[in-house]
Amino acid sequence: MPSIALAMTLLLATGQSAPAAPAVRPLVVSYADAVACAGVTQAGSELEGNESERGRKLFDAALYWSLTTIQMGKASGRPDTLTERDMSNARIRSVRELSRKNSQTLEQMEKCIKSAPSLG
């Protein structure tokens, strides 16, 4: 496998431009952050519905964060029932906070949507 420097040299030599840098996403998140994102995006999706473009983005982010949280739980040896309970509690708290239009929860939801890859 060629090194990055060699690949860049080959791109320059052939007149091709380097590929665009991928969007910056956190490489590692904590289990607690994943649970929080799963909960807030599930809550947002539930409240928004999936008929609108925003609702579909929320649904995709909720799917991504839920699967990520489940995988993190499995990797750490956490029982599935505990992971499911953590996400359910986070969703319930988030529904309450989003219904109250809590600015911190709204900001957290936006951050979680932006950090989830597009599934569409």
Side-chain angles (χ1 to χ4, degrees), residues 3 8 11 18 30 38 40 46-47 50 52-53 55 58 67 74 79-80 93 107 110 112 114 116:
S3 69
M8 292 302 290
L11 285 172
S30 69
V40 75
E46 182 179 316
L47 293 170
N50 64 357
S52 67
E53 182 178 340
L58 278 161
L67 292 173
K74 286 184 185 299
D80 291 344
R93 279 191 306 274
E107 286 176 28
E110 291 306 316
C112 293
K114 288 178 183 172

Side-chain angles (χ1 to χ4, degrees), residues 39-100:
V40 75
T41 55
Q42 286 175 18
S45 177
E46 182 179 316
L47 293 170
E48 179 75 26
N50 64 357
E51 294 79 30
S52 67
E53 182 178 340
R54 173 124 175 108
R56 289 187 292 278
K57 282 185 179 184
L58 278 161
F59 179 84
D60 285 354
L63 178 61
Y64 170 78
W65 283 112
S66 297
L67 292 173
T68 298
T69 302
I70 290 167
Q71 289 299 313
M72 290 178 85
K74 286 184 185 299
S76 68
R78 184 180 301 270
D80 291 344
T81 54
L82 183 55
T83 301
E84 292 290 334
R85 186 182 70 197
D86 291 344
M87 286 193 297
S88 181
N89 289 340
R91 182 188 56 77
I92 291 166
R93 279 191 306 274
S94 294
V95 165
R96 289 182 189 138
E97 294 302 316
L98 290 173
S99 295
R100 292 182 188 138

